[in-house]
Amino acid sequence: DKAQEPVEEESPAKTVGKGRPTPKMKQAQARNLRPLVPPDRKASAKAAKERIRKREDEEYEAMRTGDINRMPKAERLPWRVYIRDYVDARRNLGEFFVMLLGSILVTTIAPQLSVPMMILLYVYLIAVIIDVAVMWRKLKKKLIEKYGEASVAKGSRSASYAWSRAIQVRRWRLPKPRSPKRGNWPK
């Protein structure tokens, strides 16, 4: 009779499910909670400022040296690079706004020349505005042709970027011009 009974082999105990009880919802939620305010607020704020400062220093150094890969994201946009190269390749009247300093010196030395200098500065200002407007019309056509309407859309701020760069003295511009001399037009 015993030969007909099946023999049960001892096997290692199998765990059913995941082997541990499911945590209660309260326990699971409590485990995922993080305090809104860190324990040491001053230290964490100082660490955050330090991280931001380090990133900004790296970005500034990249803009100073011309390393496009480490520049801020806005400066890496292809149409921004094109705008920079285009503005840096041409002579801009706005660059010579240093004339203002000369006019201040002239008016302090010879006050009778203050009215003619003021008229001269207004004429210069109008010429700069016309120069920038003409530059932007040409540049806008090239940008649309090369990068599409998105490059000159209102949100892209391409126009203000171009004219602000055009009125800066070339050696003070950031990011630095890629070409040391004028005339190297972008392709």
Side-chain angles (χ1 to χ4, degrees), residues 37-56:
V37 180
D40 189 2
R41 288 185 358 193
K42 286 184 180 179
S44 66
K46 189 174 182 180
K49 282 183 184 178
E50 189 62 35
R51 282 192 309 272
I52 291 169
R53 177 65 158 206
K54 184 179 178 205
R55 188 192 75 228
E56 288 173 348

Side-chain angles (χ1 to χ4, degrees), residues 13 30 63 94 98 107 118 144 152 160 163 168 172-173 182 185:
M63 288 176 60
V98 179
T107 56
M118 186 175 66
I144 291 172
V152 294
S160 61
W163 69 256
Q168 288 177 342
W172 297 343
R173 293 177 186 163
R182 298 177 202 280
W185 298 93

Side-chain angles (χ1 to χ4, degrees), residues 71 75 80-88 161 165 175:
M71 285 185 196
E75 298 297 332
R80 284 271 176 113
V81 174
Y82 189 88
I83 291 171
R84 282 197 300 270
D85 291 346
Y86 186 87
V87 171
D88 293 340
Y161 186 72
R165 191 159 178 97

Side-chain angles (χ1 to χ4, degrees), residues 100 102-115 117-118:
L100 178 66
S103 69
I104 292 171
L105 290 174
V106 168
T107 56
T108 55
I109 295 170
Q112 65 273 18
L113 294 177
S114 61
V115 172
M117 284 303 289
M118 186 175 66

